[in-house]
Amino acid sequence: MKYFAFSTLFAAFGLIVAFLFLGGANAAYIVFLLALLEISISFDNAVINAKVLEQMDAKWRNRFIVFGIPIAVFGVRFILPIIIVALASSRGILEITELALNDASAYAALLQDVMGTIYAFGGAFLLMVFLEFFFDEERDVVWIAPLEKNRLVQRISKIHFAELFIAAVVGIALLAVSGQIAIGIAYFIGLALYALIRGIDSALAKTGAKSGIIGFLYLEVLDASFSLDGVIGAFALSNNVFVIMLGLAIGAFYVRSLTIYFVEKKTLSEFVFLEHGARYAIFLLAILMFVQIFAHIPESVVGSVGIIVIASAFVHSILHKRRAG
C-alpha cells in the first residue's frame, strides 16, 4: 500500500544496516523486535493523532510528517531522554551524550533512576487526554453506556474543569504514596503543560485564528508521553544505542504512516468506536505508568493492553455498522 511504502523501505534499509554494521543477524532481529515494541505501544497514539490531524489544514498535516518524523526519532527518542537524565543527575548534556554513545549500560542505569519522574509526567499528560474526552458533555457517540452515561458521570461532566480537578487529586495521591517531591513536580508539570496547550488552542478557536502550531505541539508532546516508556523498555533488549534508535525509528515511521492512513481513509468516521478504544487504551497506559513508578511491568503487557482494547473497539464498530446497515 502506498501509505506504508516509505516506512517499509526505511525498515528494509534499517535491517540491512543493522545486519552489516551493528552485529549481524542478532542485531537485525533486535531492531525488528524494537520496531514491533514501538508500534504496539504507540498504536493508540496513531488513532488520536489522526483525530487531531482531521481538524488541521493540509499545510500543518504536511509539517507534521516533514518535521514530526525527525523530532519523533531524534528529539523524543534520543535527545529528550539525554536532557532529562542530565537535569536529574546534575551532569552536563555532553557528558550524558558521550555516556549514551560509549557506555550504554551506565546510561541505561541513569535513565532507569529517573524513570519515576518520566512516568509521572507522561502519565499525567495521558490521563488528561482521556479525562477530557470521557467528561466531554458534547460527545454524541457512546461506546460503553454504563460507564459513559451513568448519572454520576453526567453530573461531573457539567462541572467546569472537572477533569483537571480529578487529575490534580490523582497527582496529590501519587505524591503522598510515593513520598517523592520530584515525582509530584513532574506530574504537575505534565498537567500544567496539557492545560496550557489546550487552553491556547481553545482561545485561538474562539477568535477564529488558525491553531495549527498548537495542534502540532500537542501531537509532539503526546508522542513523547507515549514513546518515553518504549525508550527505557528498549534497553531490556539491547544496550547498543544505535540499535535502539534504529528499531524505534522504524516503529515511529510506521505509526506516522498509520496516522496518515487513518486520516485519508476516514477510518475514524467509518469505525465509530475506534477513538473510544484509543482513549480507553490511553487511560490504561497512564495507569500502568503510575504503577511502574513502584514496580516494573513487562513491555509486552503494556503494548498488549492497548492493542486488545482497540481491537475490541474495532470489532464492536464493525458489528454496530452491520446492525445500522
Side-chain angles (χ1 to χ4, degrees):
M1 298 172 65
K2 67 175 184 177
Y3 299 98
F4 302 97
F6 183 78
S7 297
T8 302
L9 184 64
F10 180 78
F13 172 77
L15 291 172
I16 291 172
V17 169
F19 180 80
L20 295 178
F21 303 105
L22 299 177
N26 182 63
Y29 179 62
I30 297 299
V31 166
F32 173 74
L33 291 179
L34 287 169
L36 290 181
L37 170 68
E38 178 69 15
I39 293 169
S40 66
I41 290 177
S42 300
F43 187 85
D44 39 1
N45 190 12
V47 177
I48 301 304
N49 284 353
K51 182 67 176 180
V52 176
L53 282 178
E54 285 180 346
Q55 304 167 12
M56 297 168 68
D57 58 33
K59 178 179 70 176
W60 280 101
R61 289 182 190 177
N62 292 331
R63 288 178 177 176
F64 173 70
I65 298 301
V66 175
F67 300 112
I69 284 293
I71 291 174
V73 173
F74 299 106
V76 173
R77 290 159 179 80
F78 182 66
I79 298 175
L80 184 57
I82 285 176
I83 293 174
I84 292 172
V85 171
L87 291 174
S89 62
S90 300
R91 300 189 184 187
I93 291 178
L94 291 179
E95 180 185 353
I96 299 299
T97 302
E98 184 178 354
L99 199 64
L101 296 176
N102 299 318
D103 191 352
S105 297
Y107 171 68
L110 287 174
L111 185 59
Q112 183 67 57
D113 288 340
V114 301
M115 278 310 294
T117 57
I118 292 175
Y119 285 138
F121 172 86
F125 196 91
L126 294 180
L127 180 62
M128 281 300 297
V129 170
F130 169 76
L131 291 176
E132 184 183 52
F133 170 83
F134 190 74
F135 292 111
D136 183 3
E137 196 176 7
E138 299 178 0
R139 179 165 54 85
D140 297 324
V141 179
V142 176
W143 183 29
I144 307 176
L147 285 178
E148 300 174 29
K149 284 298 181 181
N150 62 66
R151 290 184 179 181
L152 178 61
V153 170
Q154 289 178 328
R155 289 179 180 177
I156 294 176
S157 299
K158 296 180 184 297
I159 302 173
H160 291 299
F161 306 113
E163 63 276 4
L164 196 59
F165 175 76
I166 292 172
V169 171
V170 172
I172 293 171
L174 192 64
L175 175 60
V177 173
S178 68
Q180 299 182 43
I181 297 298
I183 286 177
I185 292 173
Y187 182 95
F188 283 100
I189 288 176
L191 214 60
L193 183 59
Y194 184 92
L196 177 63
I197 291 176
R198 301 308 277 176
I200 295 174
D201 187 46
S202 178
L204 289 174
K206 289 179 181 178
T207 61
K210 295 288 185 182
S211 56
I213 181 63
I214 301 301
F216 180 85
L217 291 174
Y218 172 75
L219 290 175
E220 292 305 325
V221 176
L222 184 64
D223 180 62
S225 300
F226 276 97
S227 301
L228 285 172
D229 185 51
V231 172
I232 186 63
F235 281 96
L237 297 176
S238 175
N239 279 333
N240 188 316
V241 173
F242 297 105
V243 168
I244 291 173
M245 280 286 296
L246 202 50
L248 297 182
I250 291 172
F253 270 97
Y254 272 106
V255 171
R256 286 301 195 278
S257 297
L258 273 172
T259 298
I260 298 303
Y261 175 83
F262 289 154
V263 172
E264 296 194 2
K265 292 295 183 179
K266 301 187 183 304
T267 303
L268 298 185
S269 58
E270 183 77 10
F271 303 99
V272 294
F273 300 130
L274 201 56
E275 183 188 2
H276 293 69
R279 299 280 184 166
Y280 279 106
I282 283 173
F283 171 68
L284 293 175
L285 178 57
I287 298 301
L288 290 174
M289 282 186 168
F290 296 148
V291 172
Q292 286 189 95
I293 294 174
F294 309 99
H296 174 68
I297 298 176
E299 285 69 32
S300 57
V301 174
V302 176
S304 298
V305 166
I307 290 177
I308 291 170
V309 174
I310 292 176
S312 301
F314 179 75
V315 171
H316 195 184
S317 297
I318 293 175
L319 296 176
H320 174 80
K321 184 179 178 180
R322 288 179 179 174
R323 286 195 296 264

